[in-house]
Amino acid sequence: MMKRLFPILCGLILISISTAQNPRKGDQQPSSETRTVKGVLEGSRTAVFDTAKDSCELIDIPDAMARAFRDYKGTVHLVASHYKMRQSLGPTLDNVKHSCDVAYNSVHDPNPADYNDSTWLDSFYSLDGKKIVALGHMEYHGWEHGMCHSQDDNACWYNADTLHLSDDGGYHFKSFKAPSNYFVGLPFKYEIDRGPEGYSVDTNIVKVGKWYYAMATDWPWPPNCTAEEGPSHCLVPFGGSPIRTSNLLDASSWRGWNGKDFSVRFVDPYLGPVKHPEAHVYTPVPYMYYVNAINIYEPAHLFVATLWDPFNTAYGPEGLYLSTSNDLINWSLPTLVVTQAQLLAKEPKGNWSYLYFSLLDPKSKDPNFSTIGDHPYIYYVRMDNNHPPYTRVLFRQGIKLALNP
């Protein structure tokens, strides 16, 4: 069975319910000036990619948040792919069809220092319609390479993020050799049976001024650490945080948030000893533990984060939430859109779970679909737990957004 369901969701298993229900002190102080957005689902949903009908092979499944971009011909690429990447193509977001052409295939390199094992391309940015940058979520699967003794795969799961590029409008993506591929990761090497599980970038990219931003997330480490100070404190605190660069083509240029500014440099631990590794670990910001996507909500000039929490009540009832920000640092208390129970109540008889929520607006004029208006789509994946992990459907449904009074 595939390891990756969604990095943040899997990581939640590693922390206690009490920790998730009692966010850190900083999480209690969102910006008082940030307006909040409410969302209401509207209309019926549409199946965009049904594995029972559309898959080109068994592993051709929707296994990431839906992203979209337009190429130099005006063709829309909709991607929600596995580590062997295929995409849906069409003249508009409403009229894409799944293609069996492979745009990227993971190498499954057994050397963790190469950062080139199973890789999901799940963040895209079109620079000019032909050059398309992709950020890859790379998972090193130690259990597949004889680098694991534990019966628990989580103990031998090492994550970092890598740079990829298409020169033909997004139809084929190439990788770079380490260390030129490495852009976000921990300053710690892979350790058999104890991770660290690492960083993951699972949002899209938004551009503000000269800066390109995304949200990174992580897992607490070492195993069984606590957020408090002391001998068992976490070298990697649990949470999400913004990262940015002014040059998407330079993997080394990304910087993370340190609580005051964007000065955290992500160093490759395989290039030599890392002095002061704590300086190369980002500082989490409020409420971003389960961020799936970030968008620019044009009617209010706000950032909106899409948050999905299926495991516990960190924000309230299990469900889909939205949070807003003026600066990507201070985020509002998440507001509930729909509970998981409400979604399940409308399903046919079965055993279902949900993954990978993101907002895309078919009316967006942005070639990277980072902007949204009042009536975007919410995309999400439903998995059949009676026939896991390959029986899935990618749905879209209308959602009405408005500022809370």
Side-chain angles (χ1 to χ4, degrees):
M1 178 177 179
M2 291 172 306
K3 183 70 188 96
R4 183 182 193 264
L5 291 178
F6 177 41
I8 303 167
L9 309 186
C10 295
L12 190 52
I13 298 172
L14 303 179
I15 64 172
S16 67
I17 296 298
S18 61
T19 299
Q21 290 177 332
N22 296 279
R24 294 172 300 277
K25 186 180 293 185
D27 291 348
Q28 306 298 328
Q29 302 174 19
S31 170
S32 61
E33 298 180 359
T34 302
R35 294 168 292 173
T36 59
V37 171
K38 62 181 178 180
V40 178
L41 298 182
E42 55 183 4
S44 58
R45 69 184 183 185
T46 298
V48 178
F49 176 26
D50 185 340
T51 57
K53 303 174 183 178
D54 303 320
S55 290
C56 305
E57 60 175 312
L58 183 64
I59 64 169
D60 182 18
I61 60 174
D63 198 44
M65 284 64 67
R67 311 288 187 219
F69 60 89
R70 293 186 187 91
D71 68 24
Y72 66 103
K73 297 179 180 178
T75 298
V76 172
H77 298 235
L78 178 69
V79 188
S81 185
H82 198 205
Y83 57 68
K84 188 174 183 179
M85 177 188 154
R86 293 180 171 92
Q87 53 194 326
S88 298
L89 306 169
T92 68
L93 195 59
D94 290 311
N95 295 283
V96 293
K97 292 185 178 181
H98 191 63
S99 170
C100 287
D101 294 337
V102 175
Y104 173 81
N105 198 358
S106 295
V107 175
H108 304 290
D109 187 330
N111 183 358
D114 291 338
Y115 301 103
N116 200 21
D117 196 1
S118 298
T119 303
W120 285 252
L121 304 193
D122 57 9
S123 304
F124 302 88
Y125 200 91
S126 171
L127 294 174
D128 58 11
K130 278 200 170 183
K131 280 190 180 300
I132 314 295
V133 171
L135 307 182
H137 165 74
M138 193 289 307
E139 297 182 1
Y140 180 72
H141 294 170
W143 65 91
E144 294 180 354
H145 304 300
M147 296 286 284
C148 185
H149 303 140
S150 174
Q151 298 299 311
D152 178 12
D153 288 350
N154 281 320
C156 302
W157 191 38
Y158 183 60
N159 299 267
D161 291 88
T162 51
L163 178 67
H164 306 262
L165 181 66
S166 172
D167 290 315
D168 64 0
Y171 295 91
H172 302 90
F173 285 86
K174 64 182 180 180
S175 301
F176 299 91
K177 290 186 177 181
S180 297
N181 61 343
Y182 176 95
F183 80 92
V184 169
L186 292 179
F188 307 105
K189 295 181 180 180
Y190 173 71
E191 297 182 32
I192 292 176
D193 295 347
R194 65 189 310 267
E197 293 194 61
Y199 282 156
S200 181
V201 178
D202 287 301
T203 73
N204 51 301
I205 301 166
V206 297
K207 187 180 183 185
V208 182
K210 71 174 185 177
W211 298 106
Y212 302 90
Y213 293 87
M215 279 284 178
T217 52
D218 68 11
W219 298 261
W221 187 80
N224 304 312
C225 69
T226 61
E228 295 79 20
E229 303 224 348
S232 62
H233 78 282
C234 294
L235 298 176
V236 182
F238 175 62
S241 193
I243 58 173
R244 77 179 188 183
T245 181
S246 61
N247 183 2
L248 284 176
L249 297 176
D250 180 3
S252 67
S253 66
W254 285 89
R255 295 292 184 268
W257 179 249
N258 75 349
K260 295 181 180 179
D261 55 39
F262 285 92
S263 59
V264 174
R265 184 169 61 90
F266 300 102
V267 296
D268 182 348
Y270 288 96
L271 297 183
V274 179
K275 294 182 178 180
H276 308 295
E278 67 279 1
H280 304 286
V281 176
Y282 69 57
T283 299
V285 299
Y287 306 121
M288 292 296 105
Y289 335 109
Y290 313 116
V291 60
N292 288 212
I294 50 174
N295 293 91
I296 299 171
Y297 179 49
E298 290 190 307
H301 305 290
L302 287 172
F303 298 106
V304 174
T306 304
L307 310 166
W308 173 251
D309 175 14
F311 285 139
N312 65 39
T313 54
Y315 306 135
E318 297 93 334
L320 173 65
Y321 290 79
L322 300 176
S323 179
T324 56
S325 175
N326 293 314
D327 57 10
L328 292 167
I329 304 298
N330 299 285
W331 289 90
S332 68
L333 181 70
T335 58
L336 179 66
V337 176
V338 63
T339 67
Q340 181 173 245
Q342 289 171 326
L343 290 175
L344 289 171
K346 296 183 179 181
E347 296 290 0
K349 185 178 180 180
N351 181 13
W352 314 105
S353 61
Y354 304 104
L355 303 163
Y356 311 128
F357 284 70
S358 62
L359 292 171
L360 294 172
D361 191 338
K363 295 181 180 179
S364 176
K365 295 181 180 179
D366 175 17
N368 295 289
F369 290 88
S370 63
T371 60
I372 54 174
D374 290 330
H375 296 274
Y377 290 133
I378 186 76
Y379 284 77
Y380 64 94
V381 173
R382 185 191 70 187
M383 184 162 69
D384 183 349
N385 294 320
N386 288 331
H387 303 90
Y390 301 110
T391 305
R392 304 183 180 194
V393 181
L394 173 65
F395 288 108
R396 73 162 186 250
Q397 185 171 358
I399 181 172
K400 182 179 179 180
L401 303 180
L403 283 172
N404 277 310

